[in-house]
Amino acid sequence: MKYVDEFRDPHKAEALLWQIEKLCPILEKPIKIMEVCGGHTHSIFKYGIEEVLPKAIELIHGPGCPVCVMPKGRLDDVIAISQNPNVIFATFGDAMRVPGSKTSLLQAKAQGADIRMLYSPLDSLKIAKDNPDKEVVFFALGFETTAPSTAFTILQAAAENINNFSMFCNHVLVIPALQALLDNPDLQLDGFIGPGHVSMVIGTDPYQFISRQYHKPIVISGFEPLDILQSIWMLLQQLVDNRCEVENQYNRLVEKAGNKVAIAAMNKVFEVRETFDWRGLGDIPDSGFKIRSEYAQFDAEHKFTIPNLKVADHKACQCGEILKGVLKPWQCKVFGTACTPETPIGTCMVSSEGACAAYYKYGRFSQVVKERETGKERVKV
């Protein structure tokens, strides 16, 4: 298949690995690289990239899964809105099985709530027009990747004067999250594989602080195997040259200034929240969007009474440590035993971009073998 096979060529992958192996001895120390985006995590496991890299390179999985970083309290808010008898609640499928403190959207639907899975937020406008006697609420979540589409949906609702439609806005921003990680003394990283999808919207300029203030290299990467291998090689080359720069491996889609139309739509509809509570990372200042007062009629937080409580995670769940890159998924006490994709305890096992889901799907059994070799036992709850 043209334009896909080129990025999965085994001979080119072998050549890149050879170049990576040549650079590792020059650095004379183990290298820790964080891939920020959950899409990269899944590609790394799907194509076995971690298995073929030199042992001196450790990949750390970051907080770039939008469903995973939703705190349990916000999920309880979502479920409370959906259980309003006058509400049709619309969401992407990823969020359906994520557990709140008592139930999930899927369980709420089974108990009678009118919850519908969509592929586009614009579909929720059609539902609103078809059901004028109901309030239709869309669960808006994700990084800057998805925020433009929800911004355009609100602009469309305003243009068509659809007054029985609103959004529960939970969009989060990648730059403050990266800054929080860099300020964490427990996490010593040598560089970042930057998120490709987010960067298609915001460009490469916003990452300059990573090299200037924290003296770390970052390479914005695509999602195919050769993209990721080339990005790792570019990072190592920077370290060998003692450089700290923002480089763009994904230049076939990412531009320096980003997508100006998408950024304009986001700026028109959203403003930055003073703070947002992230699962695992806690309250991070200026790290989320809220709907501007000019569009308050489309803001579910204005239309509905929302519990807005902070709820602690299950005591056995270590999603927070995994999202911070402090633990690997297989090191969680309940990974693969009490917590599986069929019976998830934490968000990282539910989401299609979650690190635990990636390990379980592509790497669980090799880690189990390693644990048996070292005599460790899994914990059940």
Side-chain angles (χ1 to χ4, degrees), residues 186-223:
D186 296 332
L187 191 61
Q188 298 296 320
L189 298 171
D190 296 290
F192 291 92
I193 296 174
H197 292 147
V198 165
S199 304
M200 288 167 59
V201 175
I202 68 173
T204 60
D205 281 344
Y207 301 100
Q208 293 294 340
F209 79 99
I210 295 176
S211 57
R212 290 173 182 168
Q213 296 177 31
Y214 294 91
H215 309 295
K216 305 288 184 188
I218 178 169
V219 176
I220 310 303
S221 177
F223 294 87

Side-chain angles (χ1 to χ4, degrees), residues 88 90 118 121-129 131-132 134-140 150 152-158 161-168 291 295-300 303-304:
I88 299 174
L118 306 179
L122 285 170
D123 293 340
S124 57
L125 295 185
K126 183 177 185 308
I127 296 174
K129 286 188 283 189
N131 297 273
K134 293 279 190 178
E135 285 288 336
V136 176
V137 184
F138 179 75
F139 185 16
T150 55
F152 283 120
T153 300
I154 287 179
L155 292 174
Q156 185 70 25
N161 199 25
I162 303 174
N163 293 317
N164 65 325
F165 167 78
S166 60
M167 285 190 179
F168 184 52
I291 297 171
Y295 299 97
Q297 70 269 34
F298 304 113
D299 189 346
K303 276 190 173 181
F304 299 93

Side-chain angles (χ1 to χ4, degrees), residues 210-254:
I210 295 176
S211 57
R212 290 173 182 168
Q213 296 177 31
Y214 294 91
H215 309 295
K216 305 288 184 188
I218 178 169
V219 176
I220 310 303
S221 177
F223 294 87
E224 293 297 330
L226 293 189
D227 289 326
I228 296 171
L229 287 173
Q230 186 181 17
S231 298
I232 292 171
W233 172 76
M234 291 167 71
L235 280 169
L236 295 184
Q237 192 65 61
Q238 284 201 49
L239 293 170
V240 166
D241 298 341
N242 200 26
R243 292 183 289 118
C244 296
E245 299 173 6
V246 180
E247 292 187 316
N248 184 12
Q249 184 278 333
Y250 205 24
N251 55 16
R252 63 184 183 274
L253 287 176
V254 173

Side-chain angles (χ1 to χ4, degrees), residues 147-156 158 167 169 171 262-272 289-296 298-299:
S149 64
T150 55
F152 283 120
T153 300
I154 287 179
L155 292 174
Q156 185 70 25
M167 285 190 179
C169 182
H171 285 300
I263 292 171
M266 289 193 299
N267 290 338
K268 187 171 185 178
V269 173
F270 302 125
E271 60 183 330
V272 175
F289 276 145
K290 64 179 179 181
I291 297 171
R292 288 186 180 275
S293 58
E294 297 94 309
Y295 299 97
F298 304 113
D299 189 346

